[in-house]
Amino acid sequence: MRRLLVLLSISTLVATFTGVNAQGLFGFRLLKLDGEYVVWPAWQGEPKVTHVTYAYVRARTETPGAINCRSIGPIDPILEKSNLDWNDFRNEIRAAFDMWESVANIRFTEIDDPSRAGILIGAQLEPFGRAFTNVSYKPGERDRRAIERSIICFNPEQRWKIGFDGNLDVYDIRYTAAHEIGHAIGLDHPESGGQLMHYKYQEKFRTLQPGDIEGAVLLYGLRKRPSDVHPEPRVHSASATSAAVRE
């Protein structure tokens, strides 16, 4: 019965995607840029998993016109400032991607070539705030614009940690990364608190909350069982052109 109710609620949400905005009722908000919703290109025909690549930048990377993360570089300064091990940092980022994979029909794969990655991760070269995401999309005529590339950047002048310790002045890498990945796949800050996508950092939970899950499932569908996944999922990597816009 519970699964049936979940499916019914998702069907209702899909029906209202371009109509009445009922997102606030579920504790999530879809990201809208220049008046249009954005999402990584969905499957066509039979349901297939949406597959997005990500990579860590290796050199100074400029994105002219971007609102956030215009200039980013390798994450080394982040590790040095916070005395973090590279493998530990990488594992926390992977765990953050896994949160979204575990609930929605989207998969993330780390690759070595940043020029081909759909999502870039790096350190801000113009430090500001804590962490930000820049999302660029392809022009189109549909009710949703296809995301072309997302960039996630962390402030290397801030201290970072792994896990919760009650100190809200030092942010947990996994929690922060999961929040920014939410932006990178098309979610915005909800009005209601109690969700990982809420703008305020907190240490009450370290997992996705009901509103986060509802939003991700609306965009990408329910997570498929291994037997349901197409053997050759379509991989979305960045193309040469992009129009950088705000997260």
Side-chain angles (χ1 to χ4, degrees):
M1 177 61 72
R2 182 180 178 184
R3 181 174 177 81
L4 175 61
L5 291 175
V6 170
L7 290 174
L8 287 174
S9 68
I10 291 170
S11 298
T12 302
L13 285 171
V14 172
T16 60
F17 189 85
T18 58
V20 178
N21 184 354
Q23 298 167 30
L25 298 177
F26 296 90
F28 72 89
R29 176 181 290 168
L30 301 183
L31 185 61
K32 210 170 188 179
L33 301 173
D34 298 331
E36 304 292 345
Y37 293 113
V38 293
V39 63
W40 286 98
W43 53 77
Q44 297 179 358
E46 62 174 317
K48 296 189 289 287
V49 65
T50 298
H51 194 170
V52 182
T53 58
Y54 70 95
Y56 297 91
V57 299
R58 299 176 176 178
R60 185 184 185 97
T61 301
E62 302 284 346
T63 306
I67 300 300
N68 300 315
C69 310
R70 183 177 303 177
S71 300
I72 64 173
I75 65 167
D76 302 71
I78 299 173
L79 305 179
E80 294 171 5
K81 174 76 173 182
S82 300
N83 194 29
L84 295 174
D85 178 77
W86 155 241
N87 287 323
D88 291 339
F89 182 93
R90 183 184 179 196
N91 289 339
E92 290 302 300
I93 298 296
R94 180 65 245 182
F97 278 111
D98 288 344
M99 288 188 197
W100 297 103
E101 278 197 12
S102 69
V103 299
N105 197 28
I106 185 170
R107 300 293 176 270
F108 302 96
T109 300
E110 181 181 346
I111 62 175
D112 293 329
D113 185 358
S115 68
R116 295 178 50 249
I119 299 176
L120 292 181
I121 301 171
Q124 300 172 11
L125 295 182
E126 300 172 355
F128 176 77
R130 302 280 182 168
F132 294 92
T133 299
N134 195 80
V135 177
S136 60
Y137 65 87
K138 300 176 182 178
E141 301 298 328
R142 300 178 61 188
D143 58 329
R144 291 177 289 175
R145 297 293 184 259
I147 296 175
E148 186 170 45
R149 166 168 279 175
S150 293
I151 306 173
I152 297 174
C153 56
F154 297 88
N155 186 339
E157 294 187 354
Q158 296 284 355
R159 291 193 63 83
W160 298 90
K161 65 186 178 185
I162 294 177
F164 291 168
D165 59 8
N167 182 0
L168 301 184
D169 292 328
V170 181
Y171 287 16
D172 172 45
I173 284 290
R174 184 185 304 188
Y175 184 103
T176 305
H179 177 97
E180 298 305 329
I181 292 167
H183 290 317
I185 65 174
L187 294 175
D188 205 344
H189 299 139
E191 293 182 6
S192 60
Q195 311 299 323
L196 185 141
M197 286 308 299
H198 191 253
Y199 70 89
K200 186 176 181 180
Y201 175 77
Q202 54 189 313
E203 296 193 351
K204 296 180 180 178
F205 47 80
R206 207 173 181 232
T207 57
L208 300 183
Q209 300 303 294
D212 305 314
I213 296 170
E214 290 278 4
V217 169
L218 171 58
L219 290 174
Y220 300 101
L222 286 167
R223 185 181 192 279
K224 301 298 179 181
R225 298 189 304 272
S227 60
D228 296 332
V229 177
H230 194 280
E232 296 183 358
R234 183 177 167 194
V235 177
H236 298 299
S237 298
S239 65
T241 61
S242 68
V245 290
R246 189 173 212 156
E247 72 166 325

